[in-house]
Structure formats: structure tokens, C-alpha cells
Amino acid sequence: MSRRPTVSDVADRAQVHRSTAARALNPASSGMLSPETVSRVRRAARELGYTTNSFARGLRTARSSTIGVLIPDLTNPLFPPIVRGIQEALLPHGYTALIANTDNDPGREASHFEALLARQVDGFIIASARENDPLIDRAERLGTPMVLVNRSTGHGRFSMVGGDDRDGIRVALGHLAGLGHTRIAHLAGPRGVSTAEIRAAAFRESVTALGLTLAQTPVMRCDAFTEDSGSRGTHQLLASEPEITAVVAGNDLIALGCLRQLAAQGARCPHDVSVVGYNDMRFADAFSPALTTVRVPHAAMGAEAARLLLERIAEPAAVIKTLLLPVELVVRESTAAPREAAAWGAWA
Amino acid sequence: MSRRPTVSDVADRAQVHRSTAARALNPASSGMLSPETVSRVRRAARELGYTTNSFARGLRTARSSTIGVLIPDLTNPLFPPIVRGIQEALLPHGYTALIANTDNDPGREASHFEALLARQVDGFIIASARENDPLIDRAERLGTPMVLVNRSTGHGRFSMVGGDDRDGIRVALGHLAGLGHTRIAHLAGPRGVSTAEIRAAAFRESVTALGLTLAQTPVMRCDAFTEDSGSRGTHQLLASEPEITAVVAGNDLIALGCLRQLAAQGARCPHDVSVVGYNDMRFADAFSPALTTVRVPHAAMGAEAARLLLERIAEPAAVIKTLLLPVELVVRESTAAPREAAAWGAWA
DNA sequence: ATGAAAGCGCTAACAA
DNA sequence: TTGTTAGCGCTTTCAT
């Protein structure tokens, strides 16, 4: 098999100069050519099966039409929709995403960041940010365009797209309070991760707004956004705060762990304890019981992040934006009135 | 901010010639240099924050250290583990994966294939293959290294890594038969997809080997490997074959649809109908009831596919291999003895 | 052990 | 409207 055809090959076949062929092949510059030249060159390209060598182009233009995406872990069901949202938004612009998993490990994150830099990415979308992430400084010093998605970093030096966590937690708590719950715990996510911190802070605020006391609304920290961590947190919670009748979980994985631990200890959900998740990740509706949760538009978040990044690549001086997308409570089977309230209802 | 440093910048700082600097920076050629020169250059590179420009390198070497991965849909829980397996296997070799979603659409598949070609990928891993996929011819004509994962294409012209579907179905049926089931249906996947065809064929074989008749073991085709399709298939199945007591689903998504349809029609699982899934995808254990299924080592499949591809890139004449990884039945709550058999058991 | 020089395929400034 | 030319940053053969 012979080597891949180049512009020169196409030019020879179309009987024009290399640069003419190159112009004909590039939509941006084909306007300055006579229509018949353009079509002749294009036909020659088609016949030869020509595809442009993006390395040569990238070397010349110093743009790769590639962006780097850093996520914690692709097998965490939260991220595939974000990634697809990014990919779909990039597609019409001819951009491609390079995806790397950090596993929440700063070392891995840093090495992937450098590797992506070597591949000349035009910018980054970071879904793995931790508070005070060193990446921020590095990207800022380099002047590399960067957009944060889902998680933020504390200092607003880059544009960010997320869900409206504050509102989501408020609505979740409103739902529980409306059902009659007054003893509501929060199974918070890990320290140093913005979504965990923001949701925990929002829990505190909302609970106060509802007129509940701190004693009625304990917060238990889970050390990761995982099922296991949710189970352990639930175990501890049940031991230290046995009177709670409802739980707002930091995310759906923690909620699932909670559901499992509840079942393991013989507590029925929602009869004994109501549980609200967060994210409405795939299969949250298939759990037992089907999880009441806050739906976050992950694909849209990814798409918006991509758009913001493209905007910044085109216009590096563009203003920094924080985009909070609306979330929505999805009520399913894991929440109900607390036992006492149900009893009162029956008496009324 | 100034432009990114190049080898020349490093060379200047280290007071050596560009080519010497390049050699020092490249592990393959740094051996021919004096140790002190190497370390001097490396230090200069570090101080400057130098990263090699992979476009220039790729243009020169005609190798991109990038491979293209075509999957149907990243949000299908089957694929993230495969992709991660691929990524982890590539990482130590300095390779990166470019991932594209085909949505099972031949047009999208073709256009992504060409786009990846333009990005000079050194090879492809295809998880989206359909039988008689035109990609096969194109890749063969181009001489592009390619490995199939999960699905095959009918003709064995490329190496392929999959799970041992034949054995998986056999074991699933053995489990059901051992429980006492004699009327077992198969909710098969869509035509033209190898995993669907192979599992359906294996179902026919295994059922015969068990001494069951065709009348006892109906096969219902679902038109996609999706929940909805599984629900519809189950609906039809229950209407036409009301005596069945067990179902072997073509995959877990179909099984989930089946579980839902069963519940919707008031049939209890496993009490009235046992269900076995296929894949053991994430959260299969969180369904209600927890799904008995055949575990397929997806991450390992991805990793093996990557290894095979790297091998072929290094040695284009390498022999074509078909690697079938062992699968394993995971018994959970969705399977039990049929009602009659349970009754006999009680009488015995 | 190191330096010199060419060239990968493309684009874009300049010339005609 | 089309041709000429230089050069992006790297690797690599050849020379020293």
C-alpha cells in the first residue's frame, strides 16, 4: 500500500499548483478561486481519497482543533453525559476532545495535563477540579484557555458551568419538609470538592430558612462520592442520629449506598427513612426504591462548557462567566411522609 | 505571554546544537550522548517548561501515537469500562485514544472514521461494528491497523477481542435448567449485531443440548439493545408465549426493560418469571430484583484490544487473532426455581 | 559525542 | 485568480 496522498498529489492530478489545491480544499479560502478550479480540485481529492494531514496543518497554524478534557473517572455515570455533551458541541466546529481520567489523583491530573499540552490542545475543560487546584495557576501562567465544568475551584479565575446546587438542595429540602419531615440529615460529599461544599452549605442555609435547628439537621461527611462511602456514612449516621427520618445525599452514588445500608440494617425506605439523591444519574429510577433525586442537566452542562471554551479560544479576552443551569426535583419512590406524620394523617 | 519554548530554545539555554538537544530529550537517542550533556539539556528543558510539539514530531515521524476508538454511545454503560481499559493499556506506551460515538448510524460512523484518519491515527479500535460493515473494506484497502472489540463483523479479517458469548449463554441456560425451568425464552438483540446473533445461536444450541424442544424455547427479537426495546419484546413475548417461566435477555438493558414490563403486567420476578441478563453492567446489582447476569470483563477486553492493536502497529504482519475472554455467571435475585418446581420441591 | 542540514505536509504572505 | 516561497518544530542521516 502506498503512502497517503498529499495536497501536491491532488494538485498534480488537477493540474494546478499546490497552493491552489490547498485553497480549493479549504472552505475558508476556496472563495477566491474560480468555481471550476475548485470543483476540479475537489474531484481530484475525492478520487485520490485525500484527507488533510492535521499534523502539518496544526504545525503551520499553531492550532490543533483539539481540546483536552480532564474528568475524574469515565466509569462514574456522571461523566459520560458531560463528555458526550462536550463532543456534540465541538463536532460542528471541527474540534475533537482528548479525554483523560484523573481518578482524583493530583499526580495523574498533572501528568495528563502536561501530556495534553504536548499534544497542542487549544484549551481545556476540567471536570476534575479540586479547591485550590494547582492546575489553575499553571493554566493561568500559560495563558491556556480553560473552562471548569460541574466543579469549581474556589477562585473565579476561569469560566465555569454547573448546576444550580443551591437551588437543588433548597428544593429537595422543601420537598422533604412539605412531606412533614423535621429531622433531616445530610450525607455530604468529600471536603475540598466544590459540589460537596456548596451542597453542604446550601443544606445549612435551607434548613435554617425552614426554621429547623442544627440539632434536627445533622451533617455527616462521606469521604468520597461513592456507594461504599455512602454506606459507611449511613452506618455512622444511624448510630449517632437514630431519630432522623430523612436523608439528603450529596449525590446519587451516596444515596445508593445509603439505600443499601438502610436495607442491610432492616430500615425500610421510604417507610422508615426517606432518601433524596442528587444528579439523577442513569438508572437512579431503577433502584429499589426508585430514587427521588435532583436532576442535573449534565449533557447540557458539557455542551455549554464547550461553547464557552470555543468562545474563549476565539476571543481570549472574553469576559469570565459562571453559568448555573437550572435543576429540577424528580419525585419517585424513595421519599414519603415520615411515619408519625403518616399516622397523624390517618387520624385526621 | 510568549510562545511555547522549542528545542532550539532549550538548545540555546543548554549551549548545545538543536539536534543534540533533541537527542537528549528523546530517551531512544539520549544513550549516544554524554551523561552530563543529557542532564544539562534536560535541566534547561525543565527550567523552560518545555513540552515537545507532537505535531512537529508526528509530521516528521509519520506516527501520531494516537488511536481512534469508535463506540456506539459513551452513555451506554457498557462502553465506559471498555474505553478505560483501552486508555489504561495505551498510557504506558505514550498513546492516546480519540473517542467518537457512532450512535449505530453508518453515516456517522463513516464520517468519524474519516475525521480520525485526518488526525493521523495510527490505528483503530472498533466497538461499533455491524455485520458487513463497510469500514472493514475501507480499513483493509488503506492498510490501517484495526482491532475489533466486543462485536465482530462476520469475516475474520481483523483481530477481535470479545467475551465468550457461547459459553456465557450456555452457563446461563444451565443455571436456569438446574433450577428446574423447561420453558425458557430468549429476548434476542437486534439483527446484524454480532453479539446478538451469536448469543441467539448459542441459545438455540444450548437449549438443544439440554434436550428442550424449540416449542419450549421461543426466541423473541428486540430491535435494539435498549430498555424500551426489552419492554416491548417482553410485552409481545408474554402475549404469545404465556407459559414461559424464564427469560435469557440479550443484554442487561433488555433485561431491565423486561423486569419493568413484568412488573407493569403484575408478574413477579423471580416468582413468576426468572430473568437472566448479560454483561453485568454497572448497577445491575442495584435493580429490583438484583439481576442475575453473565459478567463480561469489559475493561480487560478494552485493554487486550489495545495491546493487540499496538502489537499490530509495531508489526503489521502479525497474525490475526480472535481473543475470547472468559465470562462468569453472577447469581443474584432475579432467578429462582419455577413455581411448579418449587411446589414439587415442597412435596418431595 | 556532537554538529550540519534536509524535509515531513501544510498555509499564508507576497508577487504576478 | 493563481503561482512562488518560506517556514512551523521536530527527527534523522550524514559528516566530523
Side-chain angles (χ1 to χ4, degrees):
Chain A
M1 143 224 45
S2 54
R3 85 197 193 309
R4 296 263 293 281
T6 72
V7 258
S8 297
D9 297 324
V10 175
D12 287 353
R13 174 172 257 261
Q15 311 248 48
V16 294
H17 191 266
R18 292 162 42 210
S19 56
T20 305
R23 279 191 272 255
L25 262 12
N26 194 327
S29 53
S30 63
M32 61 174 70
L33 263 37
S34 78
E36 62 263 46
T37 308
V38 172
S39 61
R40 191 151 42 92
V41 171
R42 294 240 170 107
R43 182 157 42 76
R46 209 174 329 109
E47 287 165 358
L48 256 26
Y50 169 82
T51 50
T52 163
N53 182 327
S54 60
F55 280 5
R57 170 179 290 171
L59 182 57
R60 182 62 233 240
T61 60
R63 287 171 64 264
S64 63
S65 294
T66 300
I67 68 145
V69 177
L70 253 32
I71 58 174
D73 175 15
L74 194 57
T75 65
N76 178 331
L78 189 62
F79 298 107
I82 294 180
V83 170
R84 274 223 66 169
I86 292 171
Q87 290 174 323
E88 298 305 316
L90 293 179
L91 202 56
H93 298 271
Y95 271 73
T96 301
L98 241 22
I99 297 143
N101 303 278
T102 68
D103 292 313
N104 288 316
D105 173 48
R108 260 183 89 103
E109 181 174 70
S111 77
H112 276 131
F113 186 82
E114 299 304 325
L116 289 169
L117 236 30
R119 284 181 186 269
Q120 311 299 118
V121 296
D122 296 333
F124 285 92
I125 294 181
I126 310 285
S128 61
R130 301 184 65 87
E131 300 198 337
N132 299 112
D133 201 308
L135 237 50
I136 300 296
D137 282 339
R138 176 107 172 95
E140 200 165 36
R141 199 155 310 126
L142 254 28
T144 314
M146 183 161 122
V147 170
L148 269 19
V149 67
N150 193 45
R151 299 183 184 176
S152 65
T153 57
H155 28 44
R157 289 189 271 162
F158 288 96
S159 286
M160 188 263 169
V161 181
D164 191 342
D165 282 352
R166 202 152 239 106
D167 189 55
I169 292 293
R170 192 184 57 74
V171 171
L173 273 165
H175 167 62
L176 256 13
L179 250 19
H181 292 274
T182 54
R183 301 191 149 267
I184 308 173
H186 180 43
L187 281 171
R191 289 230 121 81
V193 176
S194 69
T195 45
E197 303 292 11
I198 290 173
R199 289 170 200 167
F203 178 82
R204 281 263 146 275
E205 284 173 29
S206 296
V207 119
T208 309
L210 288 169
L212 300 175
T213 66
L214 290 185
Q216 292 173 295
T217 56
V219 172
M220 177 66 68
R221 279 280 169 177
C222 299
D223 37 57
F225 272 133
T226 61
E227 252 181 274
D228 280 353
S229 198
S231 292
R232 281 195 301 274
T234 302
H235 181 75
Q236 289 178 250
L237 184 66
L238 260 23
S240 61
E241 311 280 350
E243 334 67 5
I244 61 118
T245 63
V247 171
V248 174
N251 79 349
D252 290 341
L253 254 16
I254 288 179
L256 177 57
C258 178
L259 253 27
R260 291 204 147 130
Q261 187 62 31
L262 252 20
Q265 299 192 206
R268 286 157 303 167
C269 173
H271 187 261
D272 299 319
V273 180
S274 286
V275 176
V276 180
Y278 206 100
N279 278 336
D280 194 24
M281 70 176 188
R282 191 146 188 212
F283 302 119
D285 60 336
F287 297 166
S288 173
L291 192 65
T292 292
T293 185
V294 177
R295 176 172 301 160
V296 177
H298 292 112
M301 275 165 43
E304 287 300 338
R307 274 190 271 278
L308 245 39
L309 183 62
L310 256 19
E311 180 183 318
R312 173 156 297 269
I313 288 170
E315 179 46 77
V319 60
I320 291 170
K321 294 177 191 165
T322 297
L323 207 59
L324 255 31
L325 266 30
V327 298
E328 148 193 35
L329 183 74
V330 181
V331 178
R332 289 198 273 248
E333 303 165 356
S334 67
T335 49
R339 256 179 307 176
E340 299 81 356
W344 294 337
W347 294 335
Chain B
M1 142 226 45
S2 54
R3 86 197 192 309
R4 297 262 295 281
T6 71
V7 259
S8 296
D9 297 325
V10 176
D12 288 352
R13 176 173 257 260
Q15 312 248 49
V16 293
H17 192 264
R18 293 162 42 208
S19 53
T20 305
R23 279 191 270 254
L25 262 11
N26 194 328
S29 53
S30 62
M32 60 174 71
L33 263 37
S34 79
E36 62 263 45
T37 307
V38 172
S39 61
R40 190 150 42 91
V41 172
R42 293 238 171 109
R43 181 156 44 75
R46 207 171 333 106
E47 286 164 358
L48 256 26
Y50 169 82
T51 51
T52 165
N53 182 327
S54 60
F55 281 2
R57 169 179 290 171
L59 182 58
R60 183 62 233 242
T61 59
R63 287 172 64 267
S64 63
S65 295
T66 301
I67 67 144
V69 177
L70 252 32
I71 58 174
D73 175 14
L74 194 57
T75 65
N76 177 332
L78 189 61
F79 298 108
I82 293 180
V83 170
R84 273 223 68 169
I86 292 171
Q87 290 175 324
E88 297 306 317
L90 292 179
L91 203 56
H93 299 270
Y95 270 74
T96 301
L98 240 23
I99 296 142
N101 303 277
T102 68
D103 291 313
N104 287 316
D105 172 48
R108 261 183 90 102
E109 181 175 70
S111 77
H112 276 131
F113 186 82
E114 298 304 324
L116 290 169
L117 235 29
R119 284 180 185 271
Q120 312 300 117
V121 296
D122 295 334
F124 285 92
I125 294 180
I126 310 286
S128 62
R130 301 183 66 86
E131 300 200 336
N132 300 113
D133 202 308
L135 236 52
I136 299 297
D137 282 340
R138 177 107 172 94
E140 200 165 36
R141 198 154 312 126
L142 253 31
T144 314
M146 184 161 123
V147 170
L148 269 19
V149 67
N150 193 41
R151 299 183 184 175
S152 65
T153 56
H155 29 45
R157 289 189 271 161
F158 289 96
S159 286
M160 189 265 167
V161 181
D164 191 342
D165 282 352
R166 204 153 237 104
D167 189 55
I169 291 292
R170 191 184 59 74
V171 172
L173 273 165
H175 168 62
L176 256 14
L179 250 20
H181 292 274
T182 54
R183 302 190 147 268
I184 308 173
H186 180 42
L187 281 171
R191 290 231 117 82
V193 176
S194 69
T195 43
E197 303 293 11
I198 291 173
R199 289 170 200 166
F203 178 83
R204 282 262 145 279
E205 283 173 27
S206 296
V207 120
T208 307
L210 288 169
L212 300 176
T213 66
L214 292 185
Q216 292 174 297
T217 56
V219 173
M220 176 69 65
R221 279 279 169 179
C222 297
D223 36 59
F225 272 132
T226 62
E227 248 180 278
D228 282 353
S229 198
S231 292
R232 280 195 301 275
T234 304
H235 182 76
Q236 289 178 250
L237 183 66
L238 260 24
S240 62
E241 311 280 350
E243 330 70 4
I244 60 118
T245 62
V247 170
V248 174
N251 80 347
D252 289 340
L253 255 16
I254 288 179
L256 177 57
C258 178
L259 251 29
R260 292 203 146 131
Q261 187 60 30
L262 252 19
Q265 300 194 205
R268 287 156 302 169
C269 173
H271 186 260
D272 299 318
V273 179
S274 286
V275 175
V276 181
Y278 205 100
N279 278 337
D280 194 26
M281 68 176 190
R282 191 142 187 213
F283 303 119
D285 60 337
F287 296 165
S288 173
L291 192 64
T292 293
T293 186
V294 176
R295 176 172 300 161
V296 177
H298 292 111
M301 273 166 44
E304 287 299 339
R307 274 190 271 277
L308 244 39
L309 182 62
L310 256 19
E311 181 183 317
R312 174 155 297 268
I313 288 169
E315 179 46 76
V319 60
I320 291 170
K321 295 178 190 162
T322 296
L323 207 59
L324 255 32
L325 267 31
V327 298
E328 146 193 39
L329 183 74
V330 181
V331 177
R332 292 200 269 250
E333 302 164 356
S334 67
T335 47
R339 257 179 306 174
E340 298 82 355
W344 295 338
W347 295 334

